[in-house]
Amino acid sequence: EIVLTQSPTTMAASPGERVTLTCRATSSINYIHWYQQRSGTSPKLWISETSKLASGVPNRFSGRGSGTSYSLTINSLETEDAATYYCQQGYNYPLTFGSGTKLEIK
Amino acid sequence: QVQLKESGPGLVQPAQTLSLTCSVSGFSLTSYTVTWVRQPPGKGLEWIGEIWSDGSTDYNSALKSRLSISRDTSKSQVLLKMNSLQTEDSAIYFCTRARGWYFDFWGPGTMVTVSS
Protein backbone atom coordinates (compact mmCIF):
# COMPACT_ATOMS: atom_id res chain seq x y z
CA GLU A 1 0.00 0.00 0.00
CA ILE A 2 1.26 3.46 -0.87
CA VAL A 3 1.15 5.69 2.19
CA LEU A 4 0.84 9.43 1.64
CA THR A 5 2.23 11.70 4.34
CA GLN A 6 1.07 15.28 4.38
CA SER A 7 2.80 18.11 6.17
CA PRO A 8 2.21 20.13 8.08
CA THR A 9 -0.79 18.59 9.80
CA THR A 10 -2.11 22.01 10.70
CA MET A 11 -0.98 25.47 9.76
CA ALA A 12 -2.12 29.02 10.24
CA ALA A 13 -1.26 31.86 7.89
CA SER A 14 -2.37 35.40 7.24
CA PRO A 15 -4.24 36.73 4.23
CA GLY A 16 -1.84 37.62 1.45
CA GLU A 17 0.80 35.09 2.52
CA ARG A 18 2.17 32.36 0.30
CA VAL A 19 1.76 28.84 1.69
CA THR A 20 2.94 25.43 0.53
CA LEU A 21 1.46 22.10 1.54
CA THR A 22 3.42 18.94 0.87
CA CYS A 23 2.51 15.32 0.22
CA ARG A 24 5.10 12.55 0.17
CA ALA A 25 4.52 9.01 -1.04
CA THR A 26 6.25 5.89 0.22
CA SER A 27 7.02 4.88 -3.37
CA SER A 28 7.13 6.64 -6.70
CA ILE A 29 3.79 7.50 -8.28
CA ASN A 30 2.81 9.15 -11.54
CA TYR A 31 0.40 11.82 -10.30
CA ILE A 32 -1.10 13.27 -7.17
CA HIS A 33 -4.61 14.68 -6.86
CA TRP A 34 -5.75 17.26 -4.30
CA TYR A 35 -9.12 17.85 -2.66
CA GLN A 36 -10.40 20.73 -0.58
CA GLN A 37 -12.84 19.99 2.22
CA ARG A 38 -14.48 22.83 4.09
CA SER A 39 -16.00 22.10 7.45
CA GLY A 40 -19.25 20.14 7.24
CA THR A 41 -19.12 19.62 3.49
CA SER A 42 -17.96 16.89 1.13
CA PRO A 43 -14.50 17.08 -0.45
CA LYS A 44 -14.14 18.87 -3.76
CA LEU A 45 -11.64 18.03 -6.47
CA TRP A 46 -9.16 20.89 -6.41
CA ILE A 47 -6.15 19.82 -8.47
CA SER A 48 -5.91 16.72 -10.66
CA GLU A 49 -2.90 15.02 -12.16
CA THR A 50 -0.47 17.03 -10.05
CA SER A 51 -1.01 20.45 -11.62
CA LYS A 52 -4.40 20.77 -13.37
CA LEU A 53 -6.73 23.12 -11.53
CA ALA A 54 -10.31 21.90 -11.32
CA SER A 55 -13.07 24.03 -12.74
CA GLY A 56 -13.62 27.17 -10.70
CA VAL A 57 -10.41 26.91 -8.68
CA PRO A 58 -8.66 30.30 -8.46
CA ASN A 59 -5.34 30.57 -10.25
CA ARG A 60 -3.58 31.55 -7.02
CA PHE A 61 -3.47 27.77 -6.48
CA SER A 62 -0.82 25.66 -8.16
CA GLY A 63 0.48 22.13 -7.89
CA ARG A 64 3.75 20.50 -8.76
CA GLY A 65 5.91 17.51 -8.05
CA SER A 66 7.05 14.13 -9.29
CA GLY A 67 8.14 10.76 -8.02
CA THR A 68 7.49 10.69 -4.31
CA SER A 69 7.26 14.42 -3.54
CA TYR A 70 4.37 16.73 -4.37
CA SER A 71 3.16 20.13 -3.26
CA LEU A 72 0.22 22.49 -3.43
CA THR A 73 1.00 26.21 -3.23
CA ILE A 74 -1.35 29.08 -2.60
CA ASN A 75 -0.10 32.48 -3.63
CA SER A 76 -1.70 35.36 -1.75
CA LEU A 77 -3.88 33.47 0.71
CA GLU A 78 -7.52 34.50 1.09
CA THR A 79 -9.94 33.82 3.95
CA GLU A 80 -12.03 31.50 1.78
CA ASP A 81 -9.03 29.14 1.50
CA ALA A 82 -9.55 27.95 5.06
CA ALA A 83 -10.14 24.20 4.74
CA THR A 84 -8.52 20.81 5.00
CA TYR A 85 -6.59 19.71 1.92
CA TYR A 86 -6.12 16.03 1.13
CA CYS A 87 -3.83 14.45 -1.42
CA GLN A 88 -4.72 11.17 -3.15
CA GLN A 89 -2.92 8.67 -5.35
CA GLY A 90 -4.46 6.47 -8.02
CA TYR A 91 -1.28 4.73 -9.07
CA ASN A 92 -1.76 1.54 -7.07
CA TYR A 93 -4.55 -0.25 -5.28
CA PRO A 94 -5.74 0.43 -2.71
CA LEU A 95 -6.28 4.01 -3.72
CA THR A 96 -5.13 6.07 -0.75
CA PHE A 97 -5.44 9.53 0.69
CA GLY A 98 -3.09 11.53 2.86
CA SER A 99 -4.25 12.40 6.35
CA GLY A 100 -4.82 16.02 5.40
CA THR A 101 -3.46 19.48 6.13
CA LYS A 102 -5.81 21.79 7.98
CA LEU A 103 -5.23 25.36 6.87
CA GLU A 104 -6.41 28.13 9.15
CA ILE A 105 -6.44 31.82 8.35
CA LYS A 106 -5.18 34.18 11.05
CA GLN B 1 -25.59 18.65 -14.22
CA VAL B 2 -23.75 15.82 -12.50
CA GLN B 3 -25.22 14.90 -9.13
CA LEU B 4 -24.77 12.05 -6.69
CA LYS B 5 -26.73 11.45 -3.52
CA GLU B 6 -26.25 8.82 -0.88
CA SER B 7 -29.05 7.33 1.18
CA GLY B 8 -29.11 4.81 3.96
CA PRO B 9 -30.40 3.82 7.39
CA GLY B 10 -28.37 6.21 9.56
CA LEU B 11 -28.14 3.76 12.46
CA VAL B 12 -27.02 0.14 12.21
CA GLN B 13 -26.61 -2.34 15.02
CA PRO B 14 -23.24 -4.03 15.54
CA ALA B 15 -22.76 -7.23 13.52
CA GLN B 16 -25.56 -6.22 11.16
CA THR B 17 -25.35 -5.42 7.45
CA LEU B 18 -25.18 -1.90 6.05
CA SER B 19 -26.96 -1.13 2.79
CA LEU B 20 -26.37 2.22 1.10
CA THR B 21 -27.65 3.57 -2.18
CA CYS B 22 -25.98 6.15 -4.39
CA SER B 23 -28.44 7.76 -6.82
CA VAL B 24 -26.77 9.53 -9.72
CA SER B 25 -27.94 11.92 -12.42
CA GLY B 26 -26.30 13.82 -15.23
CA PHE B 27 -24.15 10.89 -16.34
CA SER B 28 -24.47 7.21 -17.16
CA LEU B 29 -23.22 4.38 -14.98
CA THR B 30 -22.19 2.60 -18.16
CA SER B 31 -19.76 5.42 -18.98
CA TYR B 32 -18.18 6.23 -15.61
CA THR B 33 -16.82 4.51 -12.53
CA VAL B 34 -18.53 5.20 -9.21
CA THR B 35 -16.47 4.95 -6.04
CA TRP B 36 -17.32 4.78 -2.35
CA VAL B 37 -15.18 6.68 0.17
CA ARG B 38 -15.76 6.99 3.91
CA GLN B 39 -14.67 9.41 6.60
CA PRO B 40 -14.93 8.65 10.33
CA PRO B 41 -15.95 11.74 12.32
CA GLY B 42 -13.04 14.14 12.58
CA LYS B 43 -10.72 11.86 10.62
CA GLY B 44 -9.39 11.35 7.13
CA LEU B 45 -10.68 9.71 3.96
CA GLU B 46 -10.62 5.99 3.17
CA TRP B 47 -11.27 4.48 -0.25
CA ILE B 48 -13.74 1.61 0.06
CA GLY B 49 -14.17 0.34 -3.48
CA GLU B 50 -15.57 1.03 -6.90
CA ILE B 51 -17.73 -0.26 -9.70
CA TRP B 52 -16.46 0.33 -13.20
CA SER B 53 -18.50 1.31 -16.24
CA ASP B 54 -18.45 -2.32 -17.39
CA GLY B 55 -19.84 -3.50 -14.04
CA SER B 56 -16.60 -4.97 -12.69
CA THR B 57 -15.54 -4.07 -9.18
CA ASP B 58 -12.42 -3.40 -7.10
CA TYR B 59 -12.39 -3.35 -3.33
CA ASN B 60 -10.09 -2.19 -0.57
CA SER B 61 -8.42 -5.41 0.54
CA ALA B 62 -8.93 -4.41 4.18
CA LEU B 63 -12.70 -4.51 3.65
CA LYS B 64 -13.06 -6.95 0.78
CA SER B 65 -14.34 -9.91 2.79
CA ARG B 66 -17.27 -7.85 4.08
CA LEU B 67 -18.06 -5.77 1.03
CA SER B 68 -20.21 -5.89 -2.08
CA ILE B 69 -20.79 -3.11 -4.61
CA SER B 70 -23.38 -3.52 -7.35
CA ARG B 71 -25.56 -1.33 -9.54
CA ASP B 72 -28.95 -0.99 -11.13
CA THR B 73 -28.40 0.90 -14.35
CA SER B 74 -32.15 1.22 -15.02
CA LYS B 75 -32.47 3.23 -11.81
CA SER B 76 -29.05 4.95 -12.07
CA GLN B 77 -28.17 3.60 -8.66
CA VAL B 78 -25.06 2.07 -7.13
CA LEU B 79 -25.49 -0.14 -4.08
CA LEU B 80 -23.03 -0.79 -1.28
CA LYS B 81 -23.45 -3.64 1.17
CA MET B 82 -21.10 -4.19 4.07
CA ASN B 83 -21.66 -6.92 6.63
CA SER B 84 -20.46 -7.58 10.17
CA LEU B 85 -20.43 -3.91 11.03
CA GLN B 86 -18.44 -2.70 14.04
CA THR B 87 -18.25 0.65 15.78
CA GLU B 88 -15.15 1.55 13.78
CA ASP B 89 -17.31 1.47 10.64
CA SER B 90 -19.16 4.54 11.90
CA ALA B 91 -18.42 7.23 9.34
CA ILE B 92 -19.76 9.53 6.68
CA TYR B 93 -20.05 7.49 3.50
CA PHE B 94 -19.59 9.34 0.20
CA CYS B 95 -20.13 8.16 -3.33
CA THR B 96 -18.10 9.83 -6.03
CA ARG B 97 -17.75 9.80 -9.77
CA ALA B 98 -14.31 8.77 -10.88
CA ARG B 99 -12.61 10.32 -13.86
CA GLY B 100 -9.50 8.36 -14.54
CA TRP B 101 -7.91 7.84 -11.14
CA TYR B 102 -9.40 10.83 -9.33
CA PHE B 103 -12.85 11.79 -8.11
CA ASP B 104 -14.41 14.75 -9.85
CA PHE B 105 -17.87 14.85 -8.29
CA TRP B 106 -18.92 13.88 -4.78
CA GLY B 107 -22.24 13.36 -3.10
CA PRO B 108 -23.04 15.20 0.15
CA GLY B 109 -22.46 12.02 2.14
CA THR B 110 -24.58 10.04 4.54
CA MET B 111 -23.70 9.47 8.17
CA VAL B 112 -23.73 5.89 9.39
CA THR B 113 -23.57 5.18 13.12
CA VAL B 114 -22.94 1.66 14.35
CA SER B 115 -24.46 1.35 17.79
CA SER B 116 -26.80 -0.82 19.79
Side-chain angles (χ1 to χ4, degrees):
Chain A
E1 173 175 324
I2 294 176
V3 176
L4 301 177
T5 301
Q6 291 188 242
S7 60
T9 302
T10 307
M11 70 180 301
S14 300
E17 280 192 54
R18 183 173 187 259
V19 301
T20 296
L21 286 54
T22 65
C23 178
R24 289 192 167 82
T26 49
S27 57
S28 185
I29 56 178
N30 54 353
Y31 295 117
I32 203 73
H33 315 293
W34 294 91
Y35 302 85
Q36 181 197 68
Q37 186 177 32
R38 295 192 175 120
S39 181
T41 68
S42 54
K44 290 182 181 176
L45 177 66
W46 214 244
I47 297 176
S48 65
E49 296 179 345
T50 302
S51 60
K52 298 176 182 177
L53 300 186
S55 176
V57 174
N59 61 12
R60 62 179 179 275
F61 286 84
S62 63
R64 62 180 297 170
S66 64
T68 60
S69 184
Y70 295 84
S71 63
L72 180 159
T73 297
I74 311 172
N75 285 308
S76 193
L77 196 62
E78 297 195 8
T79 55
E80 65 180 21
D81 300 334
T84 299
Y85 294 85
Y86 293 95
C87 58
Q88 176 249 322
Q89 64 83 22
Y91 186 71
N92 267 349
Y93 284 112
L95 308 186
T96 52
F97 293 86
S99 55
T101 291
K102 184 174 183 179
L103 176 59
E104 299 173 345
I105 312 299
K106 292 179 184 175
Chain B
Q1 71 276 31
V2 172
Q3 291 187 319
L4 303 96
K5 186 166 185 180
E6 308 85 352
S7 58
L11 180 66
V12 180
Q13 293 198 338
Q16 297 303 302
T17 296
L18 171 67
S19 294
L20 296 177
T21 299
C22 174
S23 300
V24 311
S25 60
F27 70 97
S28 172
L29 295 178
T30 58
S31 298
Y32 287 89
T33 300
V34 170
T35 296
W36 288 93
V37 174
R38 69 180 181 179
Q39 184 173 38
K43 297 190 176 180
L45 301 164
E46 180 182 29
W47 175 77
I48 297 171
E50 62 197 1
I51 185 162
W52 291 76
S53 57
D54 66 359
S56 61
T57 53
D58 284 298
Y59 301 133
N60 189 322
S61 55
L63 302 169
K64 187 173 183 177
S65 63
R66 302 193 289 134
L67 192 58
S68 171
I69 298 176
S70 61
R71 68 183 185 181
D72 184 335
T73 55
S74 67
K75 294 181 179 178
S76 294
Q77 291 179 337
V78 173
L79 311 173
L80 177 148
K81 289 188 186 297
M82 184 182 300
N83 59 32
S84 304
L85 251 62
Q86 302 302 321
T87 54
E88 53 265 34
D89 294 312
S90 295
I92 301 172
Y93 285 72
F94 299 101
C95 60
T96 85
R97 190 182 81 165
R99 188 178 184 95
W101 296 103
Y102 57 90
F103 315 122
D104 63 350
F105 288 92
W106 295 62
T110 186
M111 182 68 207
V112 174
T113 302
V114 182
S115 176
S116 54

PDB file of all heavy atoms in Angstrom, chain A residues 82-103:
ATOM      1  N   ALA A  82      -9.544  28.740   3.829  1.00  0.00           N
ATOM      2  CA  ALA A  82      -9.549  27.950   5.063  1.00  0.00           C
ATOM      3  C   ALA A  82     -10.279  26.640   4.831  1.00  0.00           C
ATOM      4  O   ALA A  82     -11.463  26.622   4.457  1.00  0.00           O
ATOM      5  CB  ALA A  82     -10.223  28.742   6.179  1.00  0.00           C
ATOM      6  N   ALA A  83      -9.591  25.524   5.041  1.00  0.00           N
ATOM      7  CA  ALA A  83     -10.145  24.202   4.736  1.00  0.00           C
ATOM      8  C   ALA A  83      -9.091  23.162   5.088  1.00  0.00           C
ATOM      9  O   ALA A  83      -7.955  23.491   5.451  1.00  0.00           O
ATOM     10  CB  ALA A  83     -10.502  24.090   3.249  1.00  0.00           C
ATOM     11  N   THR A  84      -9.478  21.901   4.936  1.00  0.00           N
ATOM     12  CA  THR A  84      -8.516  20.810   5.000  1.00  0.00           C
ATOM     13  C   THR A  84      -8.258  20.330   3.578  1.00  0.00           C
ATOM     14  O   THR A  84      -9.200  20.150   2.799  1.00  0.00           O
ATOM     15  CB  THR A  84      -9.028  19.666   5.872  1.00  0.00           C
ATOM     16  OG1 THR A  84      -9.234  20.151   7.206  1.00  0.00           O
ATOM     17  CG2 THR A  84      -8.012  18.527   5.917  1.00  0.00           C
ATOM     18  N   TYR A  85      -7.004  20.150   3.259  1.00  0.00           N
ATOM     19  CA  TYR A  85      -6.588  19.714   1.924  1.00  0.00           C
ATOM     20  C   TYR A  85      -6.030  18.300   2.009  1.00  0.00           C
ATOM     21  O   TYR A  85      -5.153  18.017   2.831  1.00  0.00           O
ATOM     22  CB  TYR A  85      -5.552  20.672   1.348  1.00  0.00           C
ATOM     23  CG  TYR A  85      -6.129  22.055   1.086  1.00  0.00           C
ATOM     24  CD1 TYR A  85      -6.188  22.999   2.109  1.00  0.00           C
ATOM     25  CD2 TYR A  85      -6.633  22.393  -0.166  1.00  0.00           C
ATOM     26  CE1 TYR A  85      -6.745  24.253   1.885  1.00  0.00           C
ATOM     27  CE2 TYR A  85      -7.182  23.644  -0.401  1.00  0.00           C
ATOM     28  CZ  TYR A  85      -7.238  24.567   0.630  1.00  0.00           C
ATOM     29  OH  TYR A  85      -7.786  25.801   0.405  1.00  0.00           O
ATOM     30  N   TYR A  86      -6.561  17.429   1.165  1.00  0.00           N
ATOM     31  CA  TYR A  86      -6.122  16.033   1.126  1.00  0.00           C
ATOM     32  C   TYR A  86      -5.476  15.735  -0.223  1.00  0.00           C
ATOM     33  O   TYR A  86      -5.982  16.163  -1.269  1.00  0.00           O
ATOM     34  CB  TYR A  86      -7.317  15.076   1.279  1.00  0.00           C
ATOM     35  CG  TYR A  86      -7.982  15.107   2.633  1.00  0.00           C
ATOM     36  CD1 TYR A  86      -9.102  15.907   2.859  1.00  0.00           C
ATOM     37  CD2 TYR A  86      -7.509  14.318   3.685  1.00  0.00           C
ATOM     38  CE1 TYR A  86      -9.721  15.928   4.093  1.00  0.00           C
ATOM     39  CE2 TYR A  86      -8.124  14.341   4.924  1.00  0.00           C
ATOM     40  CZ  TYR A  86      -9.231  15.148   5.120  1.00  0.00           C
ATOM     41  OH  TYR A  86      -9.847  15.177   6.351  1.00  0.00           O
ATOM     42  N   CYS A  87      -4.390  14.976  -0.184  1.00  0.00           N
ATOM     43  CA  CYS A  87      -3.833  14.454  -1.424  1.00  0.00           C
ATOM     44  C   CYS A  87      -4.290  13.007  -1.600  1.00  0.00           C
ATOM     45  O   CYS A  87      -4.688  12.344  -0.631  1.00  0.00           O
ATOM     46  CB  CYS A  87      -2.305  14.562  -1.446  1.00  0.00           C
ATOM     47  SG  CYS A  87      -1.429  13.716  -0.108  1.00  0.00           S
ATOM     48  N   GLN A  88      -4.236  12.518  -2.837  1.00  0.00           N
ATOM     49  CA  GLN A  88      -4.722  11.168  -3.154  1.00  0.00           C
ATOM     50  C   GLN A  88      -3.933  10.604  -4.331  1.00  0.00           C
ATOM     51  O   GLN A  88      -3.622  11.330  -5.285  1.00  0.00           O
ATOM     52  CB  GLN A  88      -6.210  11.211  -3.518  1.00  0.00           C
ATOM     53  CG  GLN A  88      -6.817   9.897  -3.968  1.00  0.00           C
ATOM     54  CD  GLN A  88      -7.194   9.890  -5.438  1.00  0.00           C
ATOM     55  OE1 GLN A  88      -7.659  10.880  -5.981  1.00  0.00           O
ATOM     56  NE2 GLN A  88      -7.002   8.740  -6.102  1.00  0.00           N
ATOM     57  N   GLN A  89      -3.605   9.317  -4.240  1.00  0.00           N
ATOM     58  CA  GLN A  89      -2.921   8.667  -5.354  1.00  0.00           C
ATOM     59  C   GLN A  89      -3.818   7.599  -5.966  1.00  0.00           C
ATOM     60  O   GLN A  89      -4.568   6.916  -5.270  1.00  0.00           O
ATOM     61  CB  GLN A  89      -1.574   8.066  -4.900  1.00  0.00           C
ATOM     62  CG  GLN A  89      -1.662   6.936  -3.874  1.00  0.00           C
ATOM     63  CD  GLN A  89      -1.927   5.568  -4.473  1.00  0.00           C
ATOM     64  OE1 GLN A  89      -1.670   5.325  -5.662  1.00  0.00           O
ATOM     65  NE2 GLN A  89      -2.448   4.635  -3.677  1.00  0.00           N
ATOM     66  N   GLY A  90      -3.716   7.494  -7.293  1.00  0.00           N
ATOM     67  CA  GLY A  90      -4.464   6.474  -8.020  1.00  0.00           C
ATOM     68  C   GLY A  90      -3.534   5.545  -8.781  1.00  0.00           C
ATOM     69  O   GLY A  90      -3.932   4.890  -9.733  1.00  0.00           O
ATOM     70  N   TYR A  91      -2.285   5.508  -8.340  1.00  0.00           N
ATOM     71  CA  TYR A  91      -1.275   4.730  -9.066  1.00  0.00           C
ATOM     72  C   TYR A  91      -1.376   3.251  -8.770  1.00  0.00           C
ATOM     73  O   TYR A  91      -1.153   2.403  -9.635  1.00  0.00           O
ATOM     74  CB  TYR A  91       0.118   5.259  -8.695  1.00  0.00           C
ATOM     75  CG  TYR A  91       1.241   4.643  -9.477  1.00  0.00           C
ATOM     76  CD1 TYR A  91       1.416   4.941 -10.822  1.00  0.00           C
ATOM     77  CD2 TYR A  91       2.145   3.775  -8.855  1.00  0.00           C
ATOM     78  CE1 TYR A  91       2.455   4.375 -11.546  1.00  0.00           C
ATOM     79  CE2 TYR A  91       3.181   3.206  -9.577  1.00  0.00           C
ATOM     80  CZ  TYR A  91       3.337   3.515 -10.916  1.00  0.00           C
ATOM     81  OH  TYR A  91       4.360   2.962 -11.627  1.00  0.00           O
ATOM     82  N   ASN A  92      -1.665   2.939  -7.502  1.00  0.00           N
ATOM     83  CA  ASN A  92      -1.759   1.544  -7.070  1.00  0.00           C
ATOM     84  C   ASN A  92      -2.982   1.338  -6.201  1.00  0.00           C
ATOM     85  O   ASN A  92      -3.388   2.257  -5.473  1.00  0.00           O
ATOM     86  CB  ASN A  92      -0.536   1.168  -6.224  1.00  0.00           C
ATOM     87  CG  ASN A  92       0.572   0.562  -7.054  1.00  0.00           C
ATOM     88  OD1 ASN A  92       0.381   0.236  -8.218  1.00  0.00           O
ATOM     89  ND2 ASN A  92       1.730   0.414  -6.426  1.00  0.00           N
ATOM     90  N   TYR A  93      -3.502   0.095  -6.235  1.00  0.00           N
ATOM     91  CA  TYR A  93      -4.548  -0.254  -5.283  1.00  0.00           C
ATOM     92  C   TYR A  93      -3.893  -0.671  -3.956  1.00  0.00           C
ATOM     93  O   TYR A  93      -2.837  -1.316  -3.965  1.00  0.00           O
ATOM     94  CB  TYR A  93      -5.393  -1.409  -5.805  1.00  0.00           C
ATOM     95  CG  TYR A  93      -6.371  -1.004  -6.865  1.00  0.00           C
ATOM     96  CD1 TYR A  93      -6.227  -1.421  -8.179  1.00  0.00           C
ATOM     97  CD2 TYR A  93      -7.470  -0.192  -6.556  1.00  0.00           C
ATOM     98  CE1 TYR A  93      -7.137  -1.058  -9.153  1.00  0.00           C
ATOM     99  CE2 TYR A  93      -8.383   0.176  -7.524  1.00  0.00           C
ATOM    100  CZ  TYR A  93      -8.208  -0.258  -8.825  1.00  0.00           C
ATOM    101  OH  TYR A  93      -9.114   0.111  -9.787  1.00  0.00           O
ATOM    102  N   PRO A  94      -4.516  -0.372  -2.834  1.00  0.00           N
ATOM    103  CA  PRO A  94      -5.738   0.427  -2.710  1.00  0.00           C
ATOM    104  C   PRO A  94      -5.460   1.900  -2.958  1.00  0.00           C
ATOM    105  O   PRO A  94      -4.387   2.399  -2.618  1.00  0.00           O
ATOM    106  CB  PRO A  94      -6.166   0.187  -1.268  1.00  0.00           C
ATOM    107  CG  PRO A  94      -4.886  -0.017  -0.547  1.00  0.00           C
ATOM    108  CD  PRO A  94      -3.998  -0.761  -1.505  1.00  0.00           C
ATOM    109  N   LEU A  95      -6.404   2.576  -3.590  1.00  0.00           N
ATOM    110  CA  LEU A  95      -6.275   4.014  -3.719  1.00  0.00           C
ATOM    111  C   LEU A  95      -6.210   4.593  -2.313  1.00  0.00           C
ATOM    112  O   LEU A  95      -6.946   4.158  -1.416  1.00  0.00           O
ATOM    113  CB  LEU A  95      -7.474   4.582  -4.477  1.00  0.00           C
ATOM    114  CG  LEU A  95      -7.808   3.916  -5.819  1.00  0.00           C
ATOM    115  CD1 LEU A  95      -8.912   4.671  -6.533  1.00  0.00           C
ATOM    116  CD2 LEU A  95      -6.581   3.763  -6.689  1.00  0.00           C
ATOM    117  N   THR A  96      -5.333   5.541  -2.103  1.00  0.00           N
ATOM    118  CA  THR A  96      -5.125   6.066  -0.753  1.00  0.00           C
ATOM    119  C   THR A  96      -5.113   7.583  -0.730  1.00  0.00           C
ATOM    120  O   THR A  96      -4.788   8.236  -1.737  1.00  0.00           O
ATOM    121  CB  THR A  96      -3.824   5.543  -0.129  1.00  0.00           C
ATOM    122  OG1 THR A  96      -2.739   5.780  -1.041  1.00  0.00           O
ATOM    123  CG2 THR A  96      -3.909   4.057   0.174  1.00  0.00           C
ATOM    124  N   PHE A  97      -5.446   8.094   0.438  1.00  0.00           N
ATOM    125  CA  PHE A  97      -5.440   9.532   0.694  1.00  0.00           C
ATOM    126  C   PHE A  97      -4.400   9.836   1.766  1.00  0.00           C
ATOM    127  O   PHE A  97      -4.112   8.998   2.632  1.00  0.00           O
ATOM    128  CB  PHE A  97      -6.797   9.999   1.224  1.00  0.00           C
ATOM    129  CG  PHE A  97      -7.932   9.900   0.251  1.00  0.00           C
ATOM    130  CD1 PHE A  97      -8.653   8.714   0.125  1.00  0.00           C
ATOM    131  CD2 PHE A  97      -8.302  10.989  -0.520  1.00  0.00           C
ATOM    132  CE1 PHE A  97      -9.716   8.619  -0.763  1.00  0.00           C
ATOM    133  CE2 PHE A  97      -9.367  10.917  -1.402  1.00  0.00           C
ATOM    134  CZ  PHE A  97     -10.073   9.726  -1.526  1.00  0.00           C
ATOM    135  N   GLY A  98      -3.867  11.053   1.727  1.00  0.00           N
ATOM    136  CA  GLY A  98      -3.094  11.534   2.858  1.00  0.00           C
ATOM    137  C   GLY A  98      -4.035  11.865   4.004  1.00  0.00           C
ATOM    138  O   GLY A  98      -5.264  11.900   3.835  1.00  0.00           O
ATOM    139  N   SER A  99      -3.444  12.142   5.157  1.00  0.00           N
ATOM    140  CA  SER A  99      -4.251  12.403   6.351  1.00  0.00           C
ATOM    141  C   SER A  99      -4.725  13.847   6.436  1.00  0.00           C
ATOM    142  O   SER A  99      -5.461  14.196   7.355  1.00  0.00           O
ATOM    143  CB  SER A  99      -3.459  12.039   7.599  1.00  0.00           C
ATOM    144  OG  SER A  99      -2.232  12.726   7.587  1.00  0.00           O
ATOM    145  N   GLY A 100      -4.293  14.661   5.493  1.00  0.00           N
ATOM    146  CA  GLY A 100      -4.825  16.015   5.400  1.00  0.00           C
ATOM    147  C   GLY A 100      -3.962  17.079   6.048  1.00  0.00           C
ATOM    148  O   GLY A 100      -3.234  16.816   7.006  1.00  0.00           O
ATOM    149  N   THR A 101      -4.042  18.277   5.513  1.00  0.00           N
ATOM    150  CA  THR A 101      -3.462  19.477   6.128  1.00  0.00           C
ATOM    151  C   THR A 101      -4.600  20.451   6.370  1.00  0.00           C
ATOM    152  O   THR A 101      -5.308  20.836   5.434  1.00  0.00           O
ATOM    153  CB  THR A 101      -2.412  20.143   5.224  1.00  0.00           C
ATOM    154  OG1 THR A 101      -1.261  19.314   5.131  1.00  0.00           O
ATOM    155  CG2 THR A 101      -2.011  21.505   5.787  1.00  0.00           C
ATOM    156  N   LYS A 102      -4.781  20.815   7.636  1.00  0.00           N
ATOM    157  CA  LYS A 102      -5.813  21.791   7.980  1.00  0.00           C
ATOM    158  C   LYS A 102      -5.206  23.184   7.921  1.00  0.00           C
ATOM    159  O   LYS A 102      -4.241  23.475   8.646  1.00  0.00           O
ATOM    160  CB  LYS A 102      -6.372  21.519   9.371  1.00  0.00           C
ATOM    161  CG  LYS A 102      -7.527  22.440   9.745  1.00  0.00           C
ATOM    162  CD  LYS A 102      -8.148  22.054  11.070  1.00  0.00           C
ATOM    163  CE  LYS A 102      -9.340  22.927  11.407  1.00  0.00           C
ATOM    164  NZ  LYS A 102      -9.966  22.550  12.691  1.00  0.00           N
ATOM    165  N   LEU A 103      -5.746  24.012   7.063  1.00  0.00           N
ATOM    166  CA  LEU A 103      -5.230  25.360   6.865  1.00  0.00           C
ATOM    167  C   LEU A 103      -6.175  26.365   7.524  1.00  0.00           C
ATOM    168  O   LEU A 103      -7.366  26.423   7.201  1.00  0.00           O
ATOM    169  CB  LEU A 103      -5.117  25.657   5.372  1.00  0.00           C
ATOM    170  CG  LEU A 103      -4.692  27.060   4.957  1.00  0.00           C
ATOM    171  CD1 LEU A 103      -3.319  27.415   5.523  1.00  0.00           C
ATOM    172  CD2 LEU A 103      -4.692  27.184   3.440  1.00  0.00           C
TER     173      LEU A 103
END
